[in-house]
Amino acid sequence: MLFGKSPEAARWLQAALSDPEARKDYSVLLRGEVSAPFVCDRPLRSARGEPTPSRTEVDPLEVFDHSTLANVRILTGRRHQIRRHLNHAGHHVVGDTTHGKGHVNRAFRDGFGLERLFLHARSVAIAHAPTERLLT
């Protein structure tokens, strides 16, 4: 979690996270076997129903039977972007009760005790405006 300790810091942090140079990486367990990296750049609809550009990069790290552990990087920050893009690609996030598959989620819950969404923010890197130093 990132917190701005003042209104000014919170505004700066929000702007830094929205910057195209910000790097946001997640560890995600996907449904299905993904052997090659792929990109989803399907526009996602905003709360007002307008299509907005969105880009998600998926890099598989380890392939298992019926699932893949992947590093997922978002280059835009849309609401539920990872979940929505992976749903579109047919590789739902394991444990996703909204966009995922119930039988897959039950199998992981019963077989491995996974009771929640397997989507974890791993790292964030943003430029510190005054110094231009990379903060990770």
Side-chain angles (χ1 to χ4, degrees), residues 21 46 60 72:
E21 298 299 313
S46 69
V72 176

Side-chain angles (χ1 to χ4, degrees), residues 46-104:
S46 69
R48 288 179 253 152
E50 301 162 350
T52 55
S54 305
R55 186 174 176 88
T56 303
E57 297 176 347
V58 179
D59 186 18
L61 302 173
E62 183 91 25
V63 179
F64 307 103
D65 287 336
H66 311 294
S67 64
T68 302
L69 180 64
N71 182 69
V72 176
R73 176 171 292 157
I74 57 174
L75 292 120
T76 53
R78 310 293 179 230
R79 184 173 175 85
H80 302 298
Q81 176 176 326
I82 292 173
R83 295 166 63 194
R84 293 165 68 193
H85 270 171
L86 291 175
N87 177 48
H88 175 72
H91 295 291
H92 311 92
V93 177
V94 171
D96 188 343
T97 58
T98 302
H99 301 284
K101 296 290 184 188
H103 71 279
V104 173

Side-chain angles (χ1 to χ4, degrees), residues 29-58:
L29 189 62
L30 314 175
R31 178 179 73 99
E33 298 171 13
V34 178
S35 58
F38 69 91
V39 173
C40 186
D41 56 5
R42 179 177 187 240
L44 295 174
R45 296 207 177 271
S46 69
R48 288 179 253 152
E50 301 162 350
T52 55
S54 305
R55 186 174 176 88
T56 303
E57 297 176 347
V58 179

